[in-house]
Amino acid sequence: MRLDYLTIFPDYLAPLGLSLPGKAAARGLVEVHVHDLRGWTRDRHRTVDDTPYGGGAGMVMRPEPWGEALDELLGQDPHPATVVVPSPAGRPLTQALARALSTRPRLLFACGRYEGIDQRVLDHAREREDAEEVVEVSLGDYVLNGGEVAALAVTEAVVRLLPGFMGNAASLEEESHEQGLLEYPVYTKPSSWRGHDVPPVLLSGNHAAIAAWRHEQSLARTAERRPDLLHASHVAGEWEVLPAA
Ligand code: ADE
C-alpha cells in the first residue's frame, strides 16, 4: 500500500516513521511519502489560505496549491488513490471503514488546517479519473486544529489490518468493534494482585465456559457503555461505508 500525506506541517507526521507504520514500512507492506503543501505555492510568502467568501471567522485553504499537488501526486502511481480528507464534518471513523480502506492500494491524506479546504478541491478530486474516491473522515464529534492527528489515527487503524502485519489474526477478530461489540476485560499474571483476583473462570481451563464468559462480558460492557452499538441496523449499516474494492 502506498500512503501519501499532504500537510503544511510535515513534522507533525514524524510518528509515521516510528512504531507501527514504521514497522510496516520496514517490512515493505507500506510506502510512506509526506509532502509539504507549501511546495506547490507560487508566491513569495508561500500562502496557503485566504479569507472566506461570504465572510465569517477564520481562514480557508486556497484551492490552487491543493490542485497542483494532487495533479502531481495522483499522476505518480498507476493505482488510482483513495483521497482521505480528515474533517469534523466527515463520516465517523469506524472499524468497518478502516477495514474497507485497508483493501485499497493507495491512500492520499489531505490534511487541512484553519476552517477547512475550499470545497472545490474535493469536488474536483471527485471528478478525477486518477482518484478512486474521496472520503471525508471524522475522528469524532469534537474539533481538532487540523487533519494531521486524524490522519495518523486512520493510518494506524488501517495499517494494522494489512495482511501480514499482525502476527495473530485471531487477536484481531476478537478485539473491540470487530464483532460490533466492545472487547471483554483482559487479565494476566499474577492471579491475585493488591486484593483483586482474576475471575476464576479464566483459570478453569474450560474453554467453552471462558468463551461464554467473555461474550457475556462483551455484551454487558457494550450495553452499559455503548448501547448504540447494539442497534442491529446501525451495525449492518456500517458495512456499507465504502463500496467493495
Ligand atoms: N479536523 C478537525 N477536527 C477533526 C475531527 N474531529 N476529525 C477529523 N479531522 C478533523
Side-chain angles (χ1 to χ4, degrees):
M1 174 183 271
R2 172 169 169 165
L3 300 169
D4 287 271
Y5 300 82
L6 261 169
T7 171
I8 57 167
F9 292 118
D11 291 348
Y12 220 132
L13 296 171
L16 287 170
L18 307 169
S19 167
L20 188 136
K23 238 197 289 179
R27 287 189 205 166
L29 290 174
V30 297
E31 198 188 302
V32 175
H33 303 270
V34 178
H35 313 274
D36 186 347
L37 180 71
R38 290 191 202 274
W40 284 277
T41 54
R42 288 167 183 268
D43 62 311
R44 205 157 51 89
H45 301 291
R46 307 176 88 206
T47 312
V48 291
D49 62 338
D50 210 329
T51 53
Y53 275 123
M59 301 290 272
V60 174
M61 296 193 95
R62 296 172 56 101
E64 302 96 320
W66 285 104
E68 294 199 20
L70 292 176
D71 288 347
E72 186 173 332
L73 296 177
L74 290 175
Q76 273 178 7
D77 195 282
H79 297 109
T82 294
V83 179
V84 180
V85 187
S87 161
R91 63 182 69 177
L93 175 61
T94 59
Q95 191 65 15
L97 179 54
R99 204 162 264 294
L101 291 173
S102 76
T103 66
R104 302 307 199 247
R106 188 172 178 205
L107 304 179
L108 187 151
F109 291 88
C111 303
R113 285 261 148 188
Y114 316 114
E115 296 304 308
I117 304 171
D118 188 302
Q119 179 62 36
R120 292 168 295 179
V121 173
L122 281 69
D123 295 343
H124 181 257
R126 288 196 167 99
E127 294 163 3
R128 301 178 66 116
E129 304 237 312
D130 46 11
E132 178 80 33
E133 62 217 323
V134 177
V135 191
E136 292 175 78
V137 180
S138 170
L139 276 202
D141 295 336
Y142 44 84
V143 179
L144 303 167
N145 267 342
E148 288 78 6
V149 167
L152 289 173
V154 175
T155 301
E156 188 150 325
V158 166
V159 167
R160 63 195 295 285
L161 296 175
L162 293 177
F165 183 75
M166 291 285 270
N168 182 357
S171 83
L172 272 182
E173 277 166 32
E174 285 187 15
E175 65 195 8
S176 287
H177 301 297
E178 275 296 338
Q179 316 282 351
L181 296 174
L182 302 184
E183 197 176 6
Y184 47 79
V186 295
Y187 302 85
T188 185
K189 296 174 199 67
S191 61
S192 185
W193 180 75
R194 298 193 178 183
H196 294 262
D197 293 338
V198 171
V201 65
L202 298 178
L203 309 176
S204 68
N206 180 340
H207 296 297
I210 291 170
W213 180 86
R214 285 178 166 165
H215 186 63
E216 204 177 281
Q217 292 287 318
S218 280
L219 279 172
R221 261 193 174 181
T222 309
E224 185 189 331
R225 301 177 184 181
R226 294 290 307 279
D228 55 304
L229 295 179
L230 294 175
H231 199 275
S233 62
H234 172 76
V235 173
E238 284 195 339
W239 293 96
E240 290 155 20
V241 285
L242 284 179

